Amino acid sequence: MENWKKLSGYGRDYEVSDCGNVRYVDFDGTITNVKQTKLNNGYKKVNLRVKKGVFTTGLVHRLVGECFLEKEGFEADDIIASLTCQAQEKKFKVVIVTSDKDMSQLLSGENVTIFNPVKNELLTEDEFNREMGFGPQLMVDYLALVGDSSDNIPGAQGIGKVGATKLIKEFHSVEKMLANLDKINPKTAQLLKESENDILLSKELATLHKGHLDFQLEDLKINPVDQEGLNNLFRTLEFKSLIKEN
């Protein structure tokens, strides 16, 4: 876990995951996806400098033998969701290394857990239930109300964490909540009604999408370090202290 904490310094648009004896790193795809389009490019804006850093970081991961995954139109979160599903089908135990809140929806018993490198904590489904008061599958509905500024998910205006938790525990989905505004405090109901479009959009943005990926778990095993390739890269970047000569 210590090495993964160091990796987290590279930037927020990638995730590291561990499935049994394999480990992989994945980044947001390079093509604008549906989520980005729906928020008029406000969702996860990334400038050219960051993209160049992502490319260099990906090359480093490949040279040290770690599998680097990127797919056009897919976000890192969606790739993790897809591969987590594949891993579960093969009875792998998965540890997802991330501090992103929306990844909590993937928690599943002891088979899928999340290591937060910022807090240095391992989160299980049971611990999530105790902390939040509802199951991981409702995390998207919770985020639809409170939003997530790190992902430019707007949420509902005027609804805080306590109020959102109460609503989720009572109605179990934002759709059911919006259909029963007459059963909610009038002031809160008005806020929800005014934010209805943002709430539904936020849920869509927070929902992880699982799709077919041209990757096999067997391809994700750690390979030997390409020291010559690393040395060439470090010379190009003028990282002379990192060069290891035979």
Side-chain angles (χ1 to χ4, degrees):
M1 293 301 183
E2 184 63 30
N3 289 334
W4 292 349
K5 288 174 67 179
K6 293 178 181 178
L7 287 175
S8 67
Y10 285 127
R12 69 162 312 283
D13 285 311
Y14 77 94
E15 313 289 347
V16 186
S17 188
D18 176 55
C19 302
N21 296 319
V22 302
R23 185 162 73 237
Y24 65 89
V25 179
D26 54 58
F27 285 75
D28 288 344
T30 56
I31 300 300
T32 300
N33 55 41
V34 174
K35 291 183 180 181
Q36 292 169 319
T37 301
K38 285 184 178 292
L39 264 184
N40 296 320
N41 295 322
Y43 181 77
K44 285 190 176 179
K45 287 184 177 179
V46 182
N47 61 36
L48 183 59
R49 181 182 300 177
V50 173
K51 284 297 185 183
K52 289 181 178 179
V54 166
F55 174 80
T56 302
T57 302
L59 180 57
V60 170
H61 282 293
R62 290 189 178 100
L63 291 173
V64 299
E66 294 181 330
C67 184
F68 174 88
L69 306 182
E70 183 179 30
K71 184 177 178 64
E72 292 183 354
F74 273 65
E75 292 190 347
D77 292 355
D78 296 330
I79 292 177
I80 285 185
S82 300
L83 289 179
T84 296
C85 184
Q86 286 183 239
Q88 287 182 285
E89 290 174 355
K90 294 195 175 186
K91 309 302 181 183
F92 276 66
K93 285 192 174 182
V94 180
V95 178
I96 303 170
V97 181
T98 183
S99 59
D100 280 4
K101 302 181 186 71
D102 56 356
M103 299 301 292
S104 300
Q105 62 194 273
L106 296 177
L107 289 167
S108 179
E110 298 296 326
N111 294 322
V112 180
T113 57
I114 294 176
F115 176 72
N116 187 325
V118 177
K119 297 181 179 180
N120 194 28
E121 293 178 351
L122 186 69
L123 181 66
T124 66
E125 182 179 1
D126 286 344
E127 289 165 345
F128 178 91
N129 291 339
R130 285 194 293 270
E131 179 181 337
M132 300 298 296
F134 53 80
Q137 72 278 8
L138 297 180
M139 188 60 174
V140 292
D141 295 276
Y142 174 78
L143 291 175
L145 293 176
V146 301
D148 186 352
S149 59
S150 66
D151 277 344
N152 286 333
I153 296 176
Q157 292 294 323
I159 304 298
K161 295 180 179 179
V162 174
T165 299
K166 181 180 179 181
L167 290 168
I168 295 304
K169 290 170 71 173
E170 181 176 355
F171 295 102
H172 303 290
S173 76
V174 292
E175 291 85 0
K176 186 176 179 180
M177 175 196 71
L178 292 169
N180 290 275
L181 293 180
D182 59 317
K183 299 178 181 178
I184 300 174
N185 173 280
K187 182 178 180 181
T188 301
Q190 183 61 32
L191 289 172
L192 294 171
K193 184 177 180 179
E194 292 173 355
S195 297
E196 181 174 353
N197 290 337
D198 281 342
I199 291 171
L200 296 175
L201 174 60
S202 295
K203 180 170 181 176
E204 185 174 353
L205 294 175
T207 299
L208 301 181
H209 298 282
K210 303 170 186 176
H212 174 72
L213 301 174
D214 297 325
F215 305 116
Q216 298 297 322
L217 292 176
E218 291 75 11
D219 298 330
L220 306 180
K221 292 183 179 179
I222 299 174
N223 296 310
V225 174
D226 181 354
Q227 192 60 56
E228 181 178 355
L230 279 174
N231 286 344
N232 289 335
L233 177 62
F234 293 151
R235 290 190 186 95
T236 300
L237 298 175
E238 298 184 356
F239 292 169
K240 297 179 181 179
S241 64
L242 297 178
I243 297 174
K244 293 183 179 181
E245 302 290 359
N246 293 332

